[in-house]
Amino acid sequence: MAKKGIPEWLNSSLWSSSSSPSPSSPVDDRLLRHPPATTSVAPSPPIVVERPPLSPSPSAISTAPAPIRPPSKSEVHDLHNGNDTPAPAAAPEDVSRKSQVVAELSKKVIDLKELRKIASQGLPDDAGIRSVVWKLLLGYLSPDRSLWSSELAKKRLQYKQFKEELLMNPSEVTRKMDKSKGGDSNDPKVESPGALSRSEITLEDHPLSLGTTSLWNNFFKDTEVLEQIDRDVMRTHPDMHFFSGDSAAAKSNQDALKDILTIFAKLNPGIRYVQGMNEILAPIFYIFKNDPDKGNAAYAESDAFFCFVELMSGFRDNFCQQLDNSVVGIRYTITRLSMLLKHHDEELWRHLEVTTKINPQFYAFRWITLLLTQEFNFVESLHIWDTLLSDPEGPQETLLRICCAMLILVRRRLLAGDFTSNLKLLQNYPPTNISHMLYVADKLRTK
């Protein structure tokens, strides 16, 4: 007999994870801003974030490094040790999906509705597809393929201008302005190009100026944010040679991440940079940089910037501390997850939040703000993001359903556990079948 208040399909043993808990590992709770005031058993103290106020052909489409199915240990090992394009034998369903995607991308005007439907099941890896599909799903590319060349050229030029204008220190800005006025002439009275005499340096140009319009004052204010970006980028996926190490390629990739995040922070003074944004940027840049079309790969930084901006537009309120207690802030988003669980599995909800008194902020804050990038390995995260980006309702709604599905899949262990064991389980989520988890999440759609 089905349990009262629970859909019959949830009573199947398939929905309960039988895998043993993963080995204990340090939990990265640096984004857990709002722990509950009192708890019966205190979890490991989180690190609190201190935030500042607020026309390519189908054959040239990007390569994705990950298989759709859950990866084997050897494949994950290859990915982490520099083999960024493993090539396992394609499953029949992957071959079929590949032909569907290639056929759709070959049309003069792509049907985004159909593309979303295909991508929601996960994208194939061996056809160089994920890069272009993500750009389409994020609105960076138009469905009309005839516009791609001009759109890309325009955006890439715009990003180049952003770098020139926003990444220069005041001395470089002054030299550039002076050069535009003819200051680079051969006049012997000019000591060097861009040099200013004492009489020409205004109060606002002085490094010690505290004026609100002073380039130097604003430059020094940015220093703290830039240092935080540098620290976070250096610890982005330290187990992957693509992001970490002493190689020239790794350092170049780190520099690209820093530049993207710095420009985003300067263009968005209300949010600036918040810890964790580097984890959201990393998958986008990785996919674009590994595009088999070298022309596209060369512009991975600019393409990743605009796609990152578009993705953040749907989640930026979660990073804005001033909105934490509003109906669009992170607290309310976590409350919506709690309500979703209560709607689909009241027994589990009651056990977690009433009986064991686990505040969902202890685990859901990181799940939501980092888009599950820390709960699964990098390969699996790409598969999850295919579904997140393809949902016409938007990634936020899909993300909440996936988080709810994660709870339901381990419901037996949670119902049998207490505060300490359940919190440990949810902060170190056990291995699971990603395709199965996404299927459960889709079943949770409100009919």
Side-chain angles (χ1 to χ4, degrees), residues 396-410:
Q396 181 87 278
E397 301 304 315
T398 308
L399 178 62
L400 292 180
R401 285 194 296 270
I402 294 175
C403 291
C404 187
M406 290 169 63
L407 295 169
I408 291 173
L409 286 175
V410 292

Side-chain angles (χ1 to χ4, degrees), residues 256-290:
L257 295 180
K258 293 175 187 177
D259 288 349
I260 292 172
L261 294 170
T262 299
I263 293 173
F264 178 86
K266 292 190 174 186
L267 291 177
N268 296 272
I271 298 180
R272 305 189 81 184
Y273 171 78
V274 179
Q275 282 180 291
M277 288 183 178
N278 58 305
E279 303 292 353
I280 297 177
L281 172 61
I284 299 174
F285 180 73
Y286 178 88
I287 291 300
F288 294 174
K289 188 65 175 179
N290 283 288

Side-chain angles (χ1 to χ4, degrees), residues 120 337 340 367-368 371-372 375-376 380-381 383-391 394-409 429 432-445:
S120 66
L337 171 60
L340 187 64
W367 291 9
I368 293 172
L371 309 190
L372 300 175
E375 315 316 313
F376 304 96
E380 293 170 331
S381 296
H383 187 185
I384 293 171
W385 276 36
D386 290 340
T387 299
L388 281 179
L389 301 181
S390 63
D391 197 310
Q396 181 87 278
E397 301 304 315
T398 308
L399 178 62
L400 292 180
R401 285 194 296 270
I402 294 175
C403 291
C404 187
M406 290 169 63
L407 295 169
I408 291 173
L409 286 175
Y429 197 80
T432 190
N433 185 300
I434 299 301
S435 296
H436 177 62
M437 180 185 72
L438 296 176
Y439 171 78
V440 175
D442 189 62
K443 295 280 287 185
L444 299 178
R445 287 179 182 274

